[in-house]
Every structure is written in structure tokens, then in C-alpha cells.
Amino acid sequence: MATRKYQQRLRAEAAEETRRNILDAVYERLREAPATPVSVDKVARTAGVSRSTVYLVFGSRAGLFDALTTDLWWNRAGFQGVVDAVEHPDAREHLRGGIDAGVRVFAAHRDVFRALFSMAQLDADAVGGAIERIEENRAGGMVHLARRLAEQDVLRPDVTVDEAADLLWLLASFDSFDQLFSGRSLPVDEVARILIATAERSLCR
């Protein structure tokens, strides 16, 4: 029984190592050649596995990119900061913490996110629809925050929940971050400060 458990653990560790190698290969392809479509064949060769193994592990191209974006958000970039902001009882602190944490997530792997967002704009299927699903989830998060701001009487009286959600969507986007971070060469702290200040001045009492 002990031998069987040991063998099972070794197989699980080998499977996780294979999965990690494949995700690392996709990450490096995006970072090193952001303008080149990601080829599953090239990813497989870089990871030292067969093309069929990539599909066996992730199921499909969409599954591969979903796993990559999940890995970026949760493991590589520290998305827990966004989760902590959402759970804050004060809606205004939710706004501040959410924007700040989002900026830091984007900054941690800017070049890869830039490649993913740019590829998705040209062809959503190029990244398996992963960015579209991220943006759908983000839209829902902005509506949730806008409603919290309204419920806690933080919104200005001339701003509707829908208007607040739209503006939050804009300010918390990768493109808004990158216009300041790359376009204006501002440090991360300053990018976060500007976006938070703009949100508060536009939306809050």
C-alpha cells in the first residue's frame, strides 16, 4: 500500500511538472515573440512534450489559454490582492484596493498581458477566448462595485450605477493601466494613484 501511494505521488508530481513546463513555454513564447501567433507545436517542442500531450493535459487550445491566464492572475501576479479588496466591508476601500491590486497584477507581467490583449483584439480564437472570459468577469466585478458604492451612499447623486460601472470598467482596464505605465513611463505607484484619484473624483461624494 505504501509503495502504491508513493508511485501515485510520483505520477502526480510528474503530471504537475509537465503542466508547469507547458505553461512556462506558452509564457516564454508570448514574452519573447509577442507579435507572433502562439503555435501549439512550438509550445510542445519548447516544453519537451508531444502536441498530443498538450491537448491531453489542457483539453483544447481554449483550455490551455484559460490555464495560462489563471496562472498569471493567481500564481504569478498575486491576484489575491484583488480578492482582498472585494471582501473589504467599505466600498470605497474596495474601489481603492481593487484598482491598486489590478495595476500591480498587470505590471508584474506587462509584456505577456500586452501580447494576450493585442492578440485577442485581432482574433479572439488566437488565445482561445480566454481574454474575453476575463473581461466578462471583470465587467461583472465593476457592476458589483458600483452597486456597493450606491448602497453605501458613496456615489455622487448625479452618477447612476450603470455610469459608475462603465467608468470603473474603463479605469480598471489593462489599456488604461498601460497608457500610463508604458505610454507615459510612470511608475506603478503613480499609475495606481492617478487611476484611483480619477475614479474617486468622478464617482464619489
Side-chain angles (χ1 to χ4, degrees), residues 17-26 28-29 40-51 53-54 58 64:
E17 183 179 0
T18 297
R19 184 178 184 279
R20 169 55 51 199
N21 288 342
I22 294 170
L23 290 177
D24 287 345
V26 180
E28 289 305 319
R29 289 293 303 168
V40 173
D41 287 331
K42 289 182 179 178
V43 166
R45 286 197 296 272
T46 302
V49 300
S50 66
R51 175 188 176 92
T53 297
V54 175
F58 297 101
L64 174 61

Side-chain angles (χ1 to χ4, degrees), residues 1 4-5 8 32 44 51 80 83 96 103 105 110 118 131 151 153 160 166-167 180 183 185:
M1 183 65 70
R4 183 181 302 172
K5 288 183 177 179
Q8 290 173 340
E32 295 175 0
R51 175 188 176 92
Q80 185 60 43
V83 175
R96 293 169 178 159
V103 162
V105 167
R110 182 268 170 193
S118 296
I131 294 301
E151 289 167 0
D153 201 29
T160 68
D166 288 342
L167 185 61
L180 294 171
S185 300

Side-chain angles (χ1 to χ4, degrees), residues 101-172:
V103 162
R104 296 178 193 285
V105 167
F106 288 141
H109 302 282
R110 182 268 170 193
D111 291 346
V112 173
F113 278 118
R114 177 74 280 166
L116 288 169
F117 277 92
S118 296
M119 290 168 64
Q121 286 183 334
L122 294 172
D123 178 9
D125 292 336
V127 292
I131 294 301
E132 181 180 358
R133 286 185 284 278
I134 283 178
E135 292 294 78
E136 287 175 357
N137 289 335
R138 193 170 68 82
M142 298 305 103
V143 170
H144 173 65
L145 174 53
R147 288 174 177 165
R148 289 195 69 202
L149 292 168
E151 289 167 0
Q152 295 186 17
D153 201 29
V154 176
L155 284 184
R156 285 172 34 187
D158 59 336
V159 176
T160 68
V161 169
D162 287 344
E163 289 170 340
D166 288 342
L167 185 61
L168 289 167
W169 160 267
L170 171 66
L171 294 175

